[in-house]
Amino acid sequence: MSWMLWLSLLLICVLGAMSPGPSLAVVLRQTVSNGRLHGILAGAAHALGVGVWAIATVWGLGLLVSQNPLAYQVLSWLGAGYLVWMGINALRFAATPHLQADASGKDSYWSAIRSGALISLLNPKLAVFFTALFSQFVSADQTLQAQIIMVLTATLVDGLWYALVALLFSQAHLLTWLRRHMKRIEQLTGMVLIGLAIRVVLP
């Protein structure tokens, strides 16, 4: 793979990672509610999910999902269901009388990892994105080394972006303000997640 081709791939991956959506909402919620490490773990798990989609696309599975209406629909409903579940949990958390960001109220690290991975794996938009992305770079005579470079580029860019998001939003002064307004943030997050769920299932 030439440097120019790789730089084109890198730019597309960066733009894809930075686009707002349910993944960003999940990483932000983990960061604000539970802390920096939870946000980083959620972002890392999301990146691994992106890696799975990248590998699947190289193998042709991403194209199969994007061109199979039933498979796409099932994945869409699973993803939407998970978003609704997270949205309801956020609204329920906002309704609790005492909102504290102490250790006793934190989710487990495994919960952060699970939320990041599931929001990535159950997002059918990623199948379409990677099908369109890799269709520009995959060729029949492509070497295994080139495919590995492509998969690692997509995975690392995604992981680094969400790690940066977690680091920025866990700054002491910003985090203090966010936690002071935790109730409103959770309410907004819940509504956004449910709204994104509706958007996922709509054509």
Side-chain angles (χ1 to χ4, degrees):
M1 176 177 288
S2 68
W3 276 105
M4 288 303 298
L5 192 62
W6 180 79
L7 287 174
S8 299
L9 173 66
L10 178 64
L11 177 60
I12 291 175
C13 289
V14 169
L15 293 175
M18 293 177 65
S19 61
S23 302
L24 180 62
V26 168
V27 174
L28 285 178
R29 183 175 188 272
Q30 285 293 331
T31 302
V32 175
S33 300
N34 301 303
R36 177 183 301 173
L37 184 55
H38 282 76
I40 292 175
L41 288 174
H46 184 276
L48 291 177
V50 165
V52 170
W53 276 116
I55 293 171
T57 304
V58 169
W59 288 348
L61 296 180
L63 183 63
L64 175 64
V65 171
S66 65
Q67 293 187 349
N68 187 318
L70 179 59
Y72 184 87
Q73 193 66 36
V74 169
L75 197 59
S76 295
W77 282 104
L78 286 174
Y82 184 63
L83 286 172
V84 169
W85 179 77
M86 287 193 302
I88 291 174
N89 279 345
L91 293 175
R92 288 176 60 190
F93 183 73
T96 56
H98 302 291
L99 291 173
Q100 296 180 353
D102 56 14
S104 62
K106 287 185 177 181
D107 294 335
S108 66
Y109 291 135
W110 168 246
S111 177
I113 294 171
R114 181 182 60 194
S115 65
L118 287 179
I119 201 62
S120 177
L121 294 172
L122 296 179
N123 187 354
K125 304 297 184 184
L126 281 178
V128 177
F129 172 76
F130 275 105
T131 299
L133 170 70
F134 281 92
S135 65
Q136 303 176 43
F137 302 97
V138 175
S139 60
D141 58 346
Q142 194 167 46
T143 65
L144 178 61
Q145 181 184 21
Q147 293 176 347
I148 292 174
I149 290 173
M150 291 168 58
V151 171
L152 287 178
T153 298
T155 304
L156 292 175
V157 165
D158 190 83
L160 290 172
W161 165 248
Y162 285 116
L164 178 61
V165 167
L167 289 172
L168 289 177
F169 280 85
S170 61
Q171 295 300 311
H173 63 285
L174 180 58
L175 195 56
T176 299
W177 184 90
L178 291 170
R179 285 176 171 168
R180 190 182 304 128
H181 298 84
M182 181 70 78
K183 183 172 182 176
R184 292 182 181 178
I185 291 171
E186 287 290 349
Q187 289 173 335
L188 179 62
T189 301
M191 290 186 290
V192 167
L193 289 171
I194 293 173
L196 287 169
I198 296 172
R199 182 181 175 186
V200 164
V201 297
L202 290 178

